[in-house]
Amino acid sequence: MRIADFALERYFARWEFAVKHVLCASDVEGCSMAELLALADEETAAMWSGLKLGYTESTGHPLLRLEIATLYDSIGPDDVLVFAGAEEAIFCLMSTSLQEGNHVIVTWPGYQSLYEVARSTGAHVSLHVLREEDRWSLDVDRLIRSFKPETRMVVVNAPHNPTGMLPTEGEWRRLASECASAGIRLVADEVYRFLEHEGASTLPAGADLDERAVSIGVMSKSFAMAGLRIGWLATRDRAVLDRCARMKDYTTICSSAPSEVLALIGLRAHERVLARSREIVAANLAVLDAFFAENAETFSWVRPRGGSTGFPRLVPGGAAGASADAFAARLVEATGVLLLPSTTFGSGDSHFRIGLGRTDLPEALGKLGAFVGRPIASR
Ligand SMILES: Cc1ncc(COP(=O)(O)O)c(C=O)c1O
């Protein structure tokens, strides 16, 4: 198998654990073990203390699959397959569903594995470009016009990383129904689901809208537990899950036993877990709104509608210069604040991703503001 480097992951490999402030993270500040274990009920507390560290069920612990299924309207525990993060789920899904001659449409700029793994199968990938001038919205008409007779899959990540795009419910339902009538599988990467901002509501899950559609979920983002490496696919199309289960035999075989129990604890208390995440993100959004209003000559800001990231642009002639790459490099060297330039998404050099989920955002943004405010010669 030949696959291009994952540019964002290579960038994080260099910087993530070497800097003081990761101001571009897509996950929400991780829960501590103490916080999480305090949420355990009698059954899960006993599962935790009595846990034996053997192999686990390849499809995922039955109680975990049951709990994941409650996040959907039409999904039962056997319609769920658990993976080591959404990343493994994407890998198994794309590599077992696609082949040369197939056509796939993927929202872009976006999470590279959604189109790179697809490409590595020999399938032809069209990128559905989200445009800043449309306020990053999903152009459902344009997307439908790009369907071809050989289109097998439409992949939409919403809420979207990095732009915060979130379709309206009407747009989302229309896309799902057009995909269904054209015999195209809708793959909904919903890892930021439940993090909708003011005025936006949680969309129906893709897997609930059509029996062939597949939803991708994970504990990492809205549920603030990236270190568990627990993700899943949910679909009523059992043939898809069966193919993925056979591929998983060659990747991880089964999930980590401690992680499965911890994910179960978190999901049983999901209302509280999500309330914590929403509170962090809402407070940070308010700080960012004020920052970008004050610095409108330097940065242009389209407020995200959902998720835990945004994608501001450097204003030409502004104090941060014109190259996001150069700006991020100078900033991290001078202040230890990490941004993610749009070059890591292969989408020009004018934007950068900012993360809304970390509690040190006000401090990190203060350092960024002070850096931009300095005379250029002293940076
Ligand atoms: C859209 C999207 N899908 C999937 C993933 C993978 O999630 P995980 O790293 O938890 O497997 C990410 C992570 O950033 C993402 O942004």
Side-chain angles (χ1 to χ4, degrees):
M1 177 190 183
R2 309 192 104 183
I3 190 160
D5 275 357
F6 197 140
L8 173 153
E9 294 300 344
R10 288 296 90 212
Y11 184 84
F12 273 129
R14 159 78 179 86
W15 291 108
E16 185 176 4
F17 295 99
V19 298
K20 179 128 179 46
H21 301 284
V22 182
L23 187 53
C24 54
S26 60
D27 59 341
V28 173
E29 184 88 26
C31 283
S32 71
M33 277 291 277
E35 267 177 288
L36 180 58
L37 288 176
L39 298 175
D41 57 28
E42 208 177 314
E43 184 182 27
T44 50
M47 284 170 73
W48 181 243
S49 57
L51 184 67
K52 282 197 177 170
L53 296 174
Y55 283 108
T56 61
E57 278 190 49
S58 183
T59 49
H61 194 294
L63 290 181
L64 177 60
R65 287 187 286 112
L66 187 69
E67 210 53 50
I68 291 169
T70 66
L71 302 173
Y72 304 89
D73 291 336
S74 59
I75 291 295
D78 293 339
D79 303 324
V80 173
L81 183 57
V82 175
F83 290 95
E87 184 71 322
E88 188 192 22
I90 293 168
F91 183 84
C92 291
L93 176 68
M94 299 300 177
S95 57
T96 59
S97 306
L98 296 169
Q99 60 185 21
E100 216 169 314
N102 292 168
H103 174 240
V104 189
I105 305 167
V106 188
T107 44
W108 187 84
Y111 193 66
Q112 192 174 342
S113 61
L114 292 172
Y115 52 90
E116 211 65 75
V117 183
R119 262 182 203 150
S120 76
T121 67
H124 174 66
V125 174
S126 299
L127 301 172
H128 176 75
V129 181
L130 305 174
R131 301 170 176 152
E132 186 181 2
E133 57 270 32
D134 299 337
R135 302 194 65 75
W136 301 123
S137 62
L138 187 71
D139 186 338
V140 176
D141 286 321
R142 178 160 50 92
L143 204 161
I144 292 168
R145 281 199 304 276
S146 63
F147 288 4
K148 297 180 184 182
E150 62 275 20
T151 307
R152 291 285 166 276
M153 209 183 249
V154 166
V155 184
V156 177
N157 162 223
H160 181 254
N161 165 20
T163 66
M165 176 277 283
L166 182 67
T168 63
E169 184 171 338
E171 290 166 338
W172 185 228
R173 285 186 182 277
R174 189 156 83 83
L175 178 63
S177 108
E178 292 286 342
C179 285
S181 2
I184 296 171
R185 190 182 307 286
L186 177 64
V187 173
D189 180 327
E190 295 162 347
V191 300
Y192 301 96
R193 190 165 179 244
F194 307 117
L195 283 183
E196 297 76 21
H197 309 321
E198 289 149 38
S201 47
T202 303
L203 293 178
D208 285 328
L209 293 182
D210 178 51
E211 58 191 18
R212 293 186 66 235
V214 179
S215 285
I216 302 171
V218 83
M219 294 305 292
S220 309
K221 314 293 183 180
S222 330
F223 298 105
M225 297 173 204
L228 296 185
R229 310 309 299 130
I230 292 283
W232 60 86
L233 293 179
T235 178
R236 287 171 276 164
D237 188 338
R238 298 276 176 87
V240 168
L241 295 186
D242 183 57
R243 286 197 297 268
C244 289
R246 289 162 197 275
M247 177 57 87
K248 190 182 165 188
D249 292 340
Y250 285 104
T251 51
T252 59
I253 301 175
C254 64
S255 294
S256 139
S259 290
E260 285 201 328
V261 177
L262 294 171
L264 176 61
I265 295 172
L267 285 177
R268 281 196 177 168
H270 69 263
E271 288 302 346
R272 270 181 289 171
V273 171
L274 291 174
R276 170 189 175 277
S277 298
R278 289 192 193 113
E279 202 176 305
I280 294 172
V281 168
N284 283 340
L285 251 183
V287 172
L288 283 170
D289 283 341
F291 177 85
F292 287 122
E294 258 172 46
N295 292 278
E297 287 173 5
T298 307
F299 304 108
S300 144
W301 171 236
V302 177
R303 195 176 205 267
R305 281 178 34 84
S308 44
T309 59
F311 207 42
R313 177 170 52 82
L314 301 183
V315 174
S323 159
D325 241 359
F327 175 60
R330 287 197 310 268
L331 180 73
V332 75
E333 291 297 350
T335 66
V337 172
L338 187 68
L339 295 177
L340 184 66
S342 49
T343 48
T344 58
F345 290 95
S347 93
D349 190 17
S350 322
H351 295 82
F352 58 89
R353 184 174 84 182
I354 199 155
L356 317 178
R358 297 291 176 90
T359 48
D360 65 348
L361 178 138
E363 190 190 344
L365 203 60
K367 290 183 180 175
L368 188 157
F371 178 76
V372 166
R374 279 196 229 159
I376 289 186
S378 71
R379 285 187 209 152

